């Protein structure tokens, strides 16, 4: 069930006969190359190869299996184990609306994923969500979320980004987003809605002010779920940004977007390895019905190519 | 971060990590490291400083020398199409290009809002047009983007604009229909401006890994891509993949995006970029 790419490469290299430490090393060189081409981060590859080697060496006594295929099986199983388990759980709130906060780098797909998640929650979990437009800086970000809300027939809470501009001088920057979020939760409670999805502005993990803004939102709202939204075509940088977002916010899960493309998606492994947080959902298109639950075995095949 | 000044093959190998983590990719990295080892064995590279210099020179050569400028058509309007995958930074880059063109008060710029699909895409570009004081052509929601492009080309020609910059919807290069749509956007302009588009800029997100090469290949199949805008280089990603794209496809980087404001774009400087790759 693995595609021919890696299996083919390994079986060409690894001579017939039983598995030896020498041909394990040969096979693993191919694995390393495949994972690099799939955009898995280099430090993650190193740890992964060590783990796989230990497991493969542990199988040296097993006879009668093609050694190349044996290596591929160990690699695939280890990849699935590392990226799993399947966990689409969304933590609920006992008294008051369940809050889901969406964060991530610019352009990752947060706003679109807010819409998708809202649709999923309505259709699969019978929830009544409110979308909160907490991106006060991107031109027409609020409009974008409002359009999605209209398409879904769901309420969108928003405030004029220029409102209380006079007062903003008194409060330090970063309290506006938290303010909007807080008011959004109030609005949801009054409207009898049980879920709030907060759309935040994209930002760099190295922007101290904007990361502080997210910490403020977290502190003031105590969201039950913080989801990091990541573009599946992200390269080596995935470990840096994911680690920083997770270190500062302790995210609850990851949404990997744009998997309808042909990116191998090695970022999936990098992020799981470095944060320990599971990928809960994947985005597979621009339309709002394009959200699926994450399956580690399908991702493993894709990454291995 | 290299230790002391001494040189051996292990030290050369350790450079592999810097190159791979900069998204240069396996094949290009192996070739570069191979070249360094040859130089070392031939006795041409004797210390770390020389190795680094040799590497920088090699990378700069692959990037193609002098930074090309934004093209200007023999007679106005110059038609620029901005394309790329979803979320890469196209609309913001259009705003930045507009700022570069209009800040000196010299060029009269017209924008075309050819993303007629995504929620509030037209509003986003219209907001920038308002802030930058330039005119914008827009169609009805869900209008055929080629129709908007056609109208914009006609207006740009008849009303004496120097530049027409066309913002297109994000699309994955794997979507055949959307790639055909892009081809059509470029084609309809020729009715009024036969040698358009004069410049086609592919916007790449600097955080993108090896998939960027596939993106560049596929977009080049449908449009005469003449340059890359490498956006979001103000993050921690190095964008090394543009080295491979320049080498394999001949597409040069023309601009780098360094932030979210109209002033946050600069012409590509290979020297500065390569220093950043290896830092
Ligand atoms: N093909 C595809 N496109 C997607 C997917 N998810 C989002 N997009 C597109 O990616 C682009 C960016 O999506 P947004 O939702 O605006 O991203 P964002 O993270 O909110 O962006 P910022 O708020 O600017 O940081 C849009 O063109 C979306 O339609 C997906 O799963 N597949
Ligand atoms: N930090 C940083 N952010 C950028 C840069 N360029 C664009 N962005 C941000 O990236 C996000 C996406 O930018 P857009 O211009 O909407 O991207 P797009 O390619 O037009 O997106 P779609 O039309 O949805 O495909 C926005 O939040 C921008 O502010 C850049 O150079 N640096
Ligand atoms: Mg957004
Ligand atoms: Mg756009």
């Amino acid at each position: 069930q693995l595609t021919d790419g890696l299996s083919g490469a390994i079986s060409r290299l690894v001579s017939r006969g039983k598995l030896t430490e020498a041909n394990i090393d040969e096979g693993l060189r191919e694995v390393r190359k495949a994972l690099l081409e799939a955009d898995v981060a280099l430090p993650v590859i190193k740890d992964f190869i060590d783990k796989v080697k230990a497991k493969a060496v542990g199988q040296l006594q097993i006879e009668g299996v093609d050694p190349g295929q044996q290596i591929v099986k160990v690699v695939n199983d280890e990849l699935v184990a590392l990226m799993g388990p399947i966990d689409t759980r969304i933590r609920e709130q006992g008294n008051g609306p369940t809050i889901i906060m969406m964060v991530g780098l610019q352009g990752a797909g947060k706003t679109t994923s807010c819409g998708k998640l809202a649709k999923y929650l309505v259709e699969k979990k019978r929830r009544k969500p409110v979308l909160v437009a907490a991106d006060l800086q991107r031109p027409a970000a609020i409009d974008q979320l409002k359009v999605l809300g209209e398409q879904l027939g769901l309420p969108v809470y928003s405030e004029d980004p220029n409102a209380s501009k006079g007062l903003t001088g008194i409060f330090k920057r970063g309290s506006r987003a938290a303010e909007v979020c807080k008011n959004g939760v109030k609005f949801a409670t009054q409207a009898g809605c049980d879920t709030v999805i907060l759309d935040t502005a994209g930002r760099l993990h190295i922007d101290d002010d904007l990361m502080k803004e997210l910490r403020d939102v977290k502190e003031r709202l105590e969201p039950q779920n913080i989801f990091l939204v990541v573009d599946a075509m992200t390269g080596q940088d995935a470990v840096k940004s994911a680690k920083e977002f997770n270190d500062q916010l302790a995210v609850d899960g990851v949404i990997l977007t744009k998997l309808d493309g042909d990116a191998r998606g090695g970022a999936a492994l990098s992020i799981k390895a470095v944060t320990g947080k599971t990928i809960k959902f994947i985005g597979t298109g621009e339309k709002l019905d394009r959200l699926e639950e994450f399956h580690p075995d399908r991702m493993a095949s894709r990454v291995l190519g | 971060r290299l230790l002391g000044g001494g040189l051996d093959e292990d030290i050369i190998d350790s450079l592999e990590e810097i190159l791979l983590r900069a998204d240069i990719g396996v094949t290009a990295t192996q070739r570069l490291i191979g070249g360094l080892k040859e130089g070392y064995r031939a006795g041409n590279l004797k210390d770390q400083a020389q190795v680094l210099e040799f590497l920088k020179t090699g990378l700069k050569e692959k990037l193609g020398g002098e930074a090309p400028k934004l093209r200007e058509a023999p007679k106005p309007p110059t038609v620029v199409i901005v394309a790329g995958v979803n979320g890469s930074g196209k609309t913001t880059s259009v705003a930045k290009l507009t700022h570069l063109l209009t800040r000196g008060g010299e060029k009269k710029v017209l924008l075309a809002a050819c993303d007629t699909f995504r929620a509030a895409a037209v509003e986003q570009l219209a907001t920038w047009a308002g802030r930058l004081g330039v005119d914008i052509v827009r169609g009805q929601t869900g209008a055929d983007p080629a129709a908007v492009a056609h109208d914009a080309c006609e207006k740009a020609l008849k009303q004496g604009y120097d530049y027409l910059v066309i913002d297109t919807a994000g699309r994955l290069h794997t979507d055949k229909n959307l790639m055909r749509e892009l081809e059509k956007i470029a084609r309809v302009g020729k009715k009024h401006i036969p040698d358009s588009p004069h410049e086609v800029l592919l916007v790449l997100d600097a955080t993108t890994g090896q998939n960027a090469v596939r993106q560049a290949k596929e977009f080049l199949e449908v449009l005469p891509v003449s340059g890359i805008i490498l956006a979001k280089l103000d993050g921690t990603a190095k964008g090394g993949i543009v080295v491979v794209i320049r080498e394999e496809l001949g597409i040069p980087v023309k601009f780098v995006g360094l932030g979210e404001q109209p002033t946050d774009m600069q012409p590509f400087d290979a020297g500065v970029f390569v220093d950043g790759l290896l830092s």
Side-chain angles (χ1 to χ4, degrees):
Chain A
Q1 47 124 32
L2 286 180
T3 63
D4 304 315
L6 182 65
S7 327
I10 291 187
S11 47
R12 277 192 294 281
L13 275 187
V14 175
S15 45
R16 295 279 137 197
K18 66 182 191 47
L19 201 62
T20 64
E21 198 156 339
N23 60 34
I24 288 175
D25 282 337
E26 264 189 294
L28 291 184
R29 269 196 288 279
E30 274 312 301
V31 173
R32 179 179 184 269
K33 184 162 186 284
L35 293 179
L36 280 169
E37 287 169 345
D39 290 322
V40 181
L42 191 57
V44 171
I45 294 178
K46 288 192 183 142
D47 291 344
F48 180 78
I49 297 282
D50 289 344
K51 277 205 189 81
V52 168
K53 175 159 182 175
K55 285 226 162 76
V57 165
Q59 293 190 6
L60 284 178
Q61 305 315 318
I62 301 176
E63 297 279 354
V65 185
D66 173 74
Q69 286 314 310
Q70 226 169 318
I71 293 174
V72 171
K73 178 157 185 358
V74 172
V75 170
N76 186 61
D77 291 350
E78 192 58 23
L79 211 54
V80 173
L82 275 178
M83 288 202 288
I86 297 181
D87 170 20
T88 56
R89 205 173 19 121
I90 292 179
R91 283 209 199 89
E92 300 193 359
Q93 163 75 307
N95 53 336
T98 294
I99 303 176
I100 301 171
M101 180 181 171
M102 307 281 267
V103 304
L105 294 176
Q106 291 91 344
K110 296 175 292 299
T111 306
T112 309
S113 300
C114 284
K116 292 178 180 181
L117 201 55
K119 183 175 171 69
Y120 168 87
L121 290 171
V122 166
E123 294 178 359
K124 300 270 160 42
K125 309 281 176 184
R126 306 236 213 95
R127 313 276 306 183
K128 302 175 77 225
V130 169
L131 299 165
V132 174
D135 178 350
L136 307 177
Q137 65 191 41
R138 170 172 153 154
I142 297 177
D143 289 327
Q144 187 182 2
L145 197 67
K146 279 187 177 165
V147 170
L148 299 187
E150 271 168 46
Q151 289 174 357
L152 295 169
L154 295 173
V156 175
Y157 178 80
S158 68
E159 295 178 16
D160 178 350
N162 297 317
S164 74
K165 247 223 167 106
L167 288 176
T168 319
I170 302 175
F171 303 121
K172 54 181 165 19
R173 176 190 182 175
S175 56
R176 267 301 280 150
E179 204 63 36
V180 172
C181 290
K182 208 76 181 134
N183 295 337
V185 174
K186 269 203 216 100
F187 167 83
T189 314
Q190 289 161 0
C193 294
D194 58 14
T195 309
V196 173
I197 303 177
L198 309 172
D199 183 24
T200 68
R203 68 204 63 215
L204 295 178
H205 50 295
I206 52 172
D207 187 322
D208 294 333
D209 287 340
L210 289 186
M211 290 305 285
K212 172 152 198 320
E213 178 181 86
L214 287 183
R215 294 200 309 273
D216 284 347
V217 171
K218 172 175 181 170
E219 194 177 330
R220 293 193 54 187
L221 271 81
E222 300 183 333
Q224 292 74 37
N225 307 274
I226 301 180
F227 291 155
L228 177 64
V229 181
V230 179
D231 192 324
M233 57 184 95
T234 309
Q236 295 289 314
D237 196 57
V239 281
K240 295 208 196 97
S241 50
K243 180 170 193 309
E244 198 57 38
F245 272 92
N246 189 48
D247 284 352
Q248 295 206 29
L249 299 171
V251 308
D252 297 290
V254 177
I255 298 180
L256 198 62
T257 62
K258 308 178 201 171
L259 275 165
D260 43 319
D262 59 2
R264 297 264 290 274
L269 178 60
S270 306
I271 291 174
K272 178 75 200 316
V274 112
T275 65
K277 302 297 160 70
T278 52
I279 297 171
K280 293 190 177 270
F281 300 99
I282 59 173
T284 56
E286 291 195 74
K287 300 223 167 82
L288 297 178
D289 59 356
R290 293 290 139 146
L291 187 78
E292 294 175 24
E293 299 176 346
F294 174 70
H295 286 276
D297 53 349
R298 290 181 208 161
M299 196 71 215
S301 301
R302 179 178 181 134
V303 170
L304 290 177
Chain B
R1 72 160 84 170
L2 298 175
L3 349 130
L7 188 63
D8 57 35
E9 298 220 1
D10 288 340
I11 293 199
I12 294 180
D13 275 327
S14 72
L15 285 173
E16 182 194 49
E17 177 158 341
I18 299 179
L19 294 172
L20 287 172
R21 299 194 70 170
D23 285 314
I24 296 248
V26 177
T27 311
T29 296
Q30 284 175 347
R31 273 202 245 109
L32 284 161
I33 297 292
L36 291 178
K37 286 185 175 166
E38 275 177 27
Y40 169 69
R41 289 175 197 148
N44 300 331
L45 301 174
K46 300 198 182 60
D47 59 39
Q48 289 179 22
Q50 284 185 338
V51 165
L52 220 49
E53 209 41 50
F54 186 81
L55 189 56
K56 285 188 182 181
T57 307
L59 285 165
K60 277 188 261 185
E61 279 176 14
K62 288 178 195 293
L63 286 166
E66 189 54 42
K69 297 234 166 332
L70 185 68
R71 188 151 169 237
E72 188 162 351
K75 53 181 166 67
T78 301
V79 177
V80 181
I81 292 182
V82 175
V85 301
N86 305 77
S88 62
K90 298 175 292 299
T91 305
T92 311
S93 298
V94 169
K96 293 171 183 179
L97 274 174
T98 303
H99 169 73
L100 282 178
L101 290 167
T102 58
R103 63 183 170 176
E106 333 126 2
K107 306 291 182 197
K108 186 174 169 203
V109 174
L110 178 67
L111 299 183
C114 288
D115 180 352
T116 56
F117 167 73
R118 204 208 70 209
V122 175
E123 283 67 24
Q124 184 185 1
L125 189 66
T127 303
W128 283 124
R131 290 183 191 178
L132 295 162
V134 297
D135 299 330
I136 178 170
V137 174
R138 40 195 295 184
Q140 304 275 12
T141 315
D144 178 0
V148 178
H150 171 271
D151 293 350
C153 285
E154 185 172 20
K155 177 177 171 101
L157 185 64
K158 295 196 170 146
Q159 299 183 14
Y161 288 89
D162 297 304
Y163 273 85
L164 166 63
V165 185
I166 300 178
D167 185 22
T168 63
R171 70 202 65 226
L172 292 184
H173 51 291
T174 45
D175 188 321
K176 295 270 174 273
N177 288 332
L178 290 184
M179 294 307 275
R180 254 197 297 275
E181 174 188 270
L182 193 56
E183 197 167 29
K184 187 173 174 211
I185 290 173
R187 206 177 344 118
V188 294
K190 293 183 186 297
K191 186 178 294 162
H192 294 286
I193 309 171
D195 55 343
S196 70
H198 305 100
E199 179 87 78
V200 175
L201 297 172
L202 177 66
V203 181
L204 285 181
D205 186 326
T207 64
T208 309
Q210 299 307 302
N211 197 250
V213 182
R214 294 217 42 76
Q215 292 173 24
K217 274 206 180 91
E218 297 299 326
F219 275 88
L220 191 57
E221 290 279 317
V222 299
L223 289 179
V225 179
S226 50
I228 285 174
I229 297 179
L230 186 59
K232 308 177 198 171
L233 202 55
D234 47 320
T236 50
K238 305 291 184 174
I241 200 67
V242 298
V243 175
V244 176
I245 293 174
R246 177 65 177 77
E247 240 198 328
E248 289 187 12
L249 302 171
I251 307 172
V253 179
K254 291 206 174 186
F255 298 98
V256 295
L258 297 167
E260 305 191 59
Q261 297 309 318
T263 46
D264 291 329
M265 188 158 82
Q266 293 177 13
F268 182 64
D269 178 325
V272 170
F273 179 74
V274 169
D275 287 344
L277 278 186
L278 301 179
S279 64

